[in-house]
Amino acid sequence: MTDNFWQTLSLEEMTRTQWESLCDSCGRCCLHKIEDEDTNEIYFTDVACRYLDEETCQCPHYEMRQSWVPDCLTIYPDWGDKFNWLPSTCAYRLLYEGKSLPDWHPLISGDKNSVHLAGISVRGRTFRDDKIAQEEIYQHVITWVE
Ligand code: SF4
Ligand code: SF4
């Protein structure tokens, strides 16, 4: 893998391996979100997909995830404005916005655990969506993602 490829290649130019390595496994994109229809503003909740591994914050069904959750996101380099659906700490959104990766990102720190140590991941902070009644979701809006 090219050293610091994220500084020299566009999202479109990256190999699949490089692209996948941008994900820091924070688990934030697996939180349920609520969109204000009038303002298009996105609000995150602390309710996570039932399949998210609460310890690793990774998806145990990643390759086949749409078979388990049909509306689970697939991120594409040409997503454009849709990068706003991702948390502001997400490497895909940061690079799309022309920003740098933070020090806690595993590609910078060399340590996959740094995303948890920095308090960025959702580890220990979520409820599973199969344990929450749908009408309760509005009580779970959080501000620690943004
Ligand atoms: S928000 Fe971004 S960095 Fe975090 S798990 Fe999702 S894709 Fe990976
Ligand atoms: S299926 Fe996997 S990737 Fe998709 S929301 Fe659930 S845990 Fe996250």
Side-chain angles (χ1 to χ4, degrees), residues 115-130:
V115 66
H116 305 301
L117 294 174
I120 299 299
S121 80
V122 303
R123 178 186 281 174
R125 305 161 95 174
T126 59
F127 296 85
R128 286 170 54 111
D129 62 8
D130 56 351

Side-chain angles (χ1 to χ4, degrees), residues 22-30 57 75 86-87 89-92 105:
L22 290 177
C23 178
D24 59 37
S25 302
C26 69
R28 290 181 168 196
C29 59
C30 301
C57 302
I75 306 168
L86 297 171
T89 54
C90 176
Y92 299 108
H105 193 285

Side-chain angles (χ1 to χ4, degrees), residues 1-2 5 9 13-22:
M1 191 180 294
T2 311
F5 67 89
L9 300 178
E13 290 171 331
M14 292 178 190
T15 64
R16 172 86 197 268
T17 303
Q18 290 169 333
W19 173 263
E20 293 294 333
S21 71
L22 290 177

